[in-house]
Amino acid sequence: MGKTHTVTLIPGDGIGPEVTDAVVRILEATGVKFAWEKFAAGASAFEKHGEYIPKDLYASIERNRVALKGPVTTPVGGGFASINVTLRKKFELYANFRPIKNLPGLETRYPGVDLIIIRENTEGLYVGLEHEVVPGVIESLKVITEKGSTRIAKFAFEYAAKHGRRKIHAIHKANIMKMSDGLFLRCARDVAKGYPDIVYGEHIIDNTCMQLVMNPYQYDTLLLENLYGDIVSDLCAAFVGGLGLVPGANLGAEASIFEAVHGSAPDIAGKDIANPTALLLSAVLMLHHLDEAAAAEKLMTALEKVYTEKKTLTRDVGGTAGTKAFADAVIEKL
Ligand code: NAI
């Protein structure tokens, strides 16, 4: 009898409940045993409990140290603070890890992409320190610290060293933000000195966007502060078929939250058409984290078979199948 993993589950908003439902069903079909502690967060939680993040949800993550999370809607230009940013800060999930890799069988404009995005997840403009200086003038503070920058650079180099990655580029705008991005770069350079086998480079963010679209193969691992990492992740998602395909992990010393790069996709919510692959690949990362490598590999093989056969794919990748039918196809392969 294998171990039962107790995992906090946040279905989220929009397409969140549809994709998490599909992924939970698939995970359970792998034979790994899970006990789910399920919580609402965001607007749906506020309606029920009067809190955007219920206290029990914090306690559950503290206890289990691992969560699987669907996307949560964040109001634009007002309203409550981002649930994602709040959870990342609360649990110091300082490393946002996003692998960008083509799935076999799925044709995209850029075949054979294999990139790793490592995004600092707690600082930069996402500290949310904004105020009105005088009417008509807003200040938004970008906070970069030596501790935070060194910590994420070490994460990136350690990851690269352990997984045979050959190059790291630190992405910045230190020509303009000389102090904040300058510090981020200095920390990356210092850490790089301890890893002579890994080629270290620096590119300015705007040039990086052009270079990525021209030739993504020139990069291996990208190390970015928070905002650049957020934007570049969506850009890179397009290389491998779009947001329906890119997984993510928010990693810290005390807890880890696994979630897709995409948001709650209100334009397609409730229609059974969302692609659960991004969350499923996040669940594969979670299985590795839980020391369930055999199940992770089994799941990847099943997923790759579904993509190679091309019979039951969702619309975003050229198929006609719904979310549920796609999940059923993966389960059948398992
Ligand atoms: P989005 O990622 O939700 O959607 C962008 C586009 O990609 C839409 O056309 C959508 O239909 C498509 N898409 C996204 N996921 C898909 C999937 N699994 N299958 C097929 N198509 C998919 O970004 P948007 O519209 O900017 O944000 C919507 C909401 O999500 C906002 O409230 C935002 O704050 C929130 N958000 C939450 C995140 C999280 O909880 N981690 C991350 C990003 C955004």
Side-chain angles (χ1 to χ4, degrees):
M1 288 282 277
K3 185 182 171 193
T4 299
H5 300 283
T6 306
V7 174
T8 306
L9 181 69
I10 307 166
D13 302 317
I15 60 169
E18 298 165 67
V19 292
T20 43
D21 183 61
V23 169
V24 164
R25 284 201 297 125
I26 296 168
L27 279 174
E28 288 179 348
T30 62
V32 175
K33 291 193 187 59
F34 290 98
W36 304 104
E37 293 183 358
K38 194 168 165 182
F39 292 93
S44 50
F46 191 77
E47 276 165 30
K48 275 195 205 148
H49 313 287
E51 292 167 307
Y52 291 107
I53 302 182
K55 285 194 186 60
D56 290 352
L57 168 55
Y58 284 129
S60 172
I61 297 176
E62 256 160 40
R63 212 171 34 244
N64 302 329
R65 298 164 62 101
V66 57
L68 183 66
K69 179 183 163 296
V72 176
T73 300
T74 306
V76 173
F80 59 89
S82 161
I83 302 301
N84 308 311
V85 172
T86 308
L87 287 173
R88 290 166 188 171
K89 273 200 266 184
K90 161 86 182 159
F91 292 103
E92 283 215 35
L93 306 173
Y94 67 90
N96 195 328
F97 173 80
R98 295 171 160 182
I100 311 274
K101 200 168 177 196
N102 290 87
L103 276 173
L106 181 63
E107 278 160 35
T108 66
R109 284 186 202 165
Y110 297 83
V113 172
D114 180 8
L115 274 169
I116 300 288
I117 293 181
I118 294 176
R119 163 185 173 192
E120 203 294 321
N121 219 15
T122 56
E123 302 192 336
L125 283 162
Y126 288 69
V127 293
L129 293 174
E130 292 188 316
H131 65 275
E132 189 174 47
V133 184
V134 291
V137 182
I138 303 292
E139 240 174 37
S140 186
L141 299 181
K142 169 161 170 163
V143 177
I144 299 285
T145 68
E146 190 177 327
K147 181 183 161 214
S149 304
T150 303
R151 183 168 68 170
I152 194 67
K154 276 191 181 149
F155 177 94
F157 278 91
E158 267 307 293
Y159 177 84
K162 266 196 205 133
H163 295 86
R165 311 292 309 194
R166 53 189 203 287
K167 283 197 274 203
I168 293 184
H169 279 86
I171 308 303
H172 67 94
K173 190 78 187 175
N175 48 334
I176 305 297
M177 280 158 278
K178 295 176 196 292
M179 292 186 74
S180 53
D181 283 17
L183 175 59
F184 186 81
L185 278 188
R186 272 205 308 284
C187 296
R189 277 176 211 157
D190 281 350
V191 173
K193 285 181 197 144
Y195 297 83
D197 294 339
I198 297 170
V199 177
Y200 172 70
E202 295 171 355
H203 278 175
I204 294 178
I205 178 67
D206 35 354
N207 175 34
T208 305
C209 292
M210 189 273 293
Q211 296 289 348
L212 275 166
V213 176
M214 294 291 278
N215 174 17
Y217 310 105
Q218 65 184 296
Y219 294 110
D220 178 304
T221 299
L222 300 177
L223 167 64
L224 312 100
E225 62 81 90
N226 214 336
L227 179 64
Y228 310 149
D230 192 0
I231 296 169
V232 167
S233 297
D234 276 34
L235 188 157
C236 290
F239 296 148
V240 295
L243 280 168
L245 294 146
V246 180
N250 302 284
L251 306 168
E254 303 301 325
S256 303
I257 300 183
F258 296 84
E259 65 176 341
V261 169
H262 66 72
S264 55
D267 53 335
I268 58 166
K271 297 180 180 161
D272 189 42
I273 56 175
N275 188 348
T277 303
L279 188 65
L280 189 58
L281 290 170
S282 312
V284 169
L285 296 176
M286 183 179 82
L287 285 171
H288 281 291
H289 177 81
L290 295 171
D291 274 336
E292 296 284 3
E297 271 156 40
K298 195 165 106 177
L299 183 43
M300 276 311 291
T301 308
L303 180 68
E304 287 172 8
K305 276 188 190 152
V306 172
Y307 271 92
T308 314
E309 278 185 10
K310 300 183 171 62
K311 281 198 297 208
T312 324
L313 297 180
T314 48
R315 293 180 190 198
D316 56 314
V317 289
T320 53
T323 312
K324 289 193 188 107
F326 174 84
D328 290 342
V330 179
I331 290 168
E332 197 196 304
K333 297 295 175 208
L334 278 167

